[in-house]
Amino acid sequence: MTDETGREALDRVLLSLYPTAEIDGVTATARFEPQPEHRGNPGWLQGGLAAAVLDHVCARAAAAALDARVVTATLDLRYRRPVAIADGPYTVRAEAAANRPRSRMVRVVGAILGPDTGHLVEAKALFVVRPGG
């Protein structure tokens, strides 16, 4: 068995923050498996990394709703309960609001769901069509 190189470890840590999302209409769902390197307090996911995961999955829902590339305008988070690294993988779900015709922005709500499907971290976000595209 070979040891993981520094680059392979970095790739694993970063790629897990941007999980592949399944899109169903304006809903995005992803599987997120925190890594030991994502630790903040012992055993818990660092809050900024929870934000990165939610921003990513919410952006996928927004892009589907607007049928365009998007950027985050606002991201409001509520940390309801700690995200225990050992309890993963987690489901991350985001849903865009109904979109007005020709709108260049959309509101999205999302959450990291616990094993009991309760919300661990919640997000409310506003996305806009990326300038120039």
Side-chain angles (χ1 to χ4, degrees), residues 36-89:
E37 296 86 355
H38 296 154
R39 180 182 68 81
N41 284 316
W44 294 352
L45 177 68
Q46 198 274 341
L49 300 179
V53 170
L54 273 166
D55 181 58
H56 173 72
V57 177
C58 287
R60 295 295 312 275
L66 294 172
D67 193 28
R69 291 184 175 184
V70 297
V71 294
T72 309
T74 64
L75 180 65
D76 181 32
L77 299 171
R78 296 289 181 260
Y79 296 88
R80 300 292 184 194
R81 297 188 317 211
V83 179
I85 290 174
D87 289 348

Side-chain angles (χ1 to χ4, degrees), residues 1-15:
M1 186 164 141
T2 62
D3 289 333
E4 186 174 44
T5 68
R7 178 62 193 192
E8 289 168 335
L10 181 61
D11 286 347
R12 177 179 50 78
V13 169
L14 293 178
L15 287 173

